[in-house]
Amino acid sequence: MRLTPAAVLDAAITLLDEAGLDAFSTRKLATRLDVRVGALYWHYPSRQALLDAVAEQIVAEASATPIPDGDWPQQAAAMIHALRNAMLAHTDGARIIVEMDAPGPNALAYIERLRGLLAGAGMDRATAEDAADVLTSYLNGYTIEEQAHKADQQRADADRGFAFGLNVVFAGLRTITES
Amino acid sequence: MRLTPAAVLDAAITLLDEAGLDAFSTRKLATRLDVRVGALYWHYPSRQALLDAVAEQIVAEASATPIPDGDWPQQAAAMIHALRNAMLAHTDGARIIVEMDAPGPNALAYIERLRGLLAGAGMDRATAEDAADVLTSYLNGYTIEEQAHKADQQRADADRGFAFGLNVVFAGLRTITES
DNA sequence: ACCTGAACACCGTTCAAGT
DNA sequence: ACCTGAACACCGTTCAAGT
């Protein structure tokens, strides 16, 4: 079978899910695809470009989750939870997102949508950008930590702790929009 | 000169600051110390153990910053800013902290102190732990992102954005203690 | 006790040459 | 256009042997 960028990406995600980011290598990936390492470089310019494509895929999964009707904190929370779930669906998903080199169209659309939601709540453009950063920074920081020490705690505990913190952040953001 | 754990650690921090985490290798470190690679393994069991020691050192720098008198949000903010400054003082400092394998005594003392501060604000033990997680998750997420895309924005912009978010988190935490 | 020498089992990336 | 073969310049870690 002929190699395609999509086939390489699919195999990369499978390998990543099984082995984790640190054990992910272009050589292991080539072996799985029954191809020599160099062949990968025809389809992707580097290991990091491949990982960036994986990050885009993860954001795509998050963006596929519909955002229900509701007020802006509910909708923003739904967006954050959707991205969190997509990250958790993949080994080291949070690190793959954060260590992304250049954000692709999916990542840009996601962040723009989140900013738009916050601007709709009455924040000016600059404040909406800062507020979106608070939400994604908290999401990334919490989830990287969680995935780094996976065996330590149950998923339910982590979900509760994350939801607590997200509520704290929204409570803080409300004090801004209500002033 | 005889090699000591402290000398290895010092050289590791210097190399890390100059080259960054991804370019940090035990072999480059050995070359700098004018020693064969294997010699390092007499003093540290692995590359990661060495990085953990660096993380401990960074936390030590943070803990050396005195916490001024004030109410609990001021004191907690001082602790967070101290750790942030220590991270920013080293290339990829945030990643080194977050990718730490096992927290050492400095890291444990730092987190315990932060939790104590929050418990002193009237939170029960479990809530204080969750609240400390919100603060450190936000700090880690924001600072990893900032250090990953260093050239993109000025330090002053990043500081302002970080302070904005930290205020948001504290505003959220206050709504809890005041209920 | 501490370090060297040398190996083992890997890496990412490049590129002429083949098809 | 796409892939192989083969190399280049690296990695982390181990361990017998030296001092």
Side-chain angles (χ1 to χ4, degrees), chain B residues 41-175:
Chain B
Y41 289 79
W42 182 261
H43 301 280
Y44 291 91
S46 68
R47 180 189 124 111
Q48 188 55 53
L50 198 36
L51 290 173
D52 278 21
V54 174
E56 272 287 283
Q57 186 58 45
I58 291 174
V59 178
E61 290 171 27
S63 300
T65 306
I67 306 301
D69 289 339
D71 56 13
W72 66 266
Q74 287 173 328
Q75 294 200 306
M79 282 194 69
I80 295 293
H81 275 118
L83 185 48
R84 175 171 154 81
N85 287 334
M87 284 170 165
L88 290 177
H90 300 279
T91 310
D92 293 325
R95 269 184 68 196
I96 292 166
I97 292 288
V98 171
E99 292 173 20
M100 195 175 23
D101 228 48
N106 292 339
L108 293 173
Y110 179 92
I111 193 69
E112 192 46 48
R113 190 177 178 192
L114 184 58
R115 287 170 170 175
L117 223 53
L118 297 166
M123 299 181 194
D124 59 61
R125 176 77 196 169
T127 304
E129 286 176 13
D130 285 343
D133 282 353
V134 187
L135 290 167
T136 56
S137 294
Y138 170 63
L139 167 64
N140 292 336
Y142 191 96
T143 311
I144 286 184
E145 194 76 51
E146 176 182 358
Q147 289 188 313
H149 312 310
K150 44 194 157 209
D152 295 19
Q153 54 182 344
Q154 309 293 348
R155 171 70 195 272
D157 281 351
D159 281 350
R160 198 200 37 69
F162 179 74
F164 170 87
L166 195 58
N167 279 334
V168 166
V169 174
F170 278 118
L173 289 177
R174 259 187 276 255
T175 66

Side-chain angles (χ1 to χ4, degrees), chain A residues 41-105:
Chain A
Y41 288 80
W42 182 262
H43 301 279
Y44 291 91
S46 66
R47 179 188 125 110
Q48 188 55 52
L50 198 35
L51 290 172
D52 278 20
V54 174
E56 272 288 282
Q57 186 57 46
I58 292 174
V59 178
E61 290 172 27
S63 300
T65 306
I67 305 301
D69 290 338
D71 57 13
W72 67 267
Q74 287 172 328
Q75 294 200 307
M79 283 195 67
I80 295 294
H81 275 118
L83 186 48
R84 174 171 154 82
N85 287 334
M87 284 171 166
L88 290 178
H90 301 279
T91 310
D92 293 326
R95 269 184 68 195
I96 292 167
I97 293 288
V98 172
E99 292 173 20
M100 194 176 22
D101 228 48

Side-chain angles (χ1 to χ4, degrees), chain A residues 32-177:
Chain A
R32 291 203 169 219
L33 287 165
D34 214 35
V35 107
R36 306 298 158 125
V37 222
L40 299 176
Y41 288 80
W42 182 262
H43 301 279
Y44 291 91
S46 66
R47 179 188 125 110
Q48 188 55 52
L50 198 35
L51 290 172
D52 278 20
V54 174
E56 272 288 282
Q57 186 57 46
I58 292 174
V59 178
E61 290 172 27
S63 300
T65 306
I67 305 301
D69 290 338
D71 57 13
W72 67 267
Q74 287 172 328
Q75 294 200 307
M79 283 195 67
I80 295 294
H81 275 118
L83 186 48
R84 174 171 154 82
N85 287 334
M87 284 171 166
L88 290 178
H90 301 279
T91 310
D92 293 326
R95 269 184 68 195
I96 292 167
I97 293 288
V98 172
E99 292 173 20
M100 194 176 22
D101 228 48
N106 292 339
L108 292 172
Y110 178 93
I111 192 71
E112 193 45 48
R113 191 177 177 192
L114 184 59
R115 287 169 170 176
L117 222 53
L118 297 166
M123 299 182 194
D124 60 61
R125 176 79 196 167
T127 305
E129 287 177 12
D130 285 344
D133 282 353
V134 187
L135 289 168
T136 56
S137 294
Y138 169 63
L139 167 63
N140 293 336
Y142 192 96
T143 311
I144 287 184
E145 194 77 50
E146 176 183 358
Q147 288 187 314
H149 312 310
K150 42 194 155 207
D152 296 19
Q153 54 182 346
Q154 310 292 349
R155 173 69 197 273
D157 280 352
D159 280 352
R160 197 200 37 70
F162 179 74
F164 170 87
L166 194 58
N167 280 333
V168 166
V169 174
F170 279 118
L173 289 176
R174 258 187 276 255
T175 66
I176 288 173
T177 56

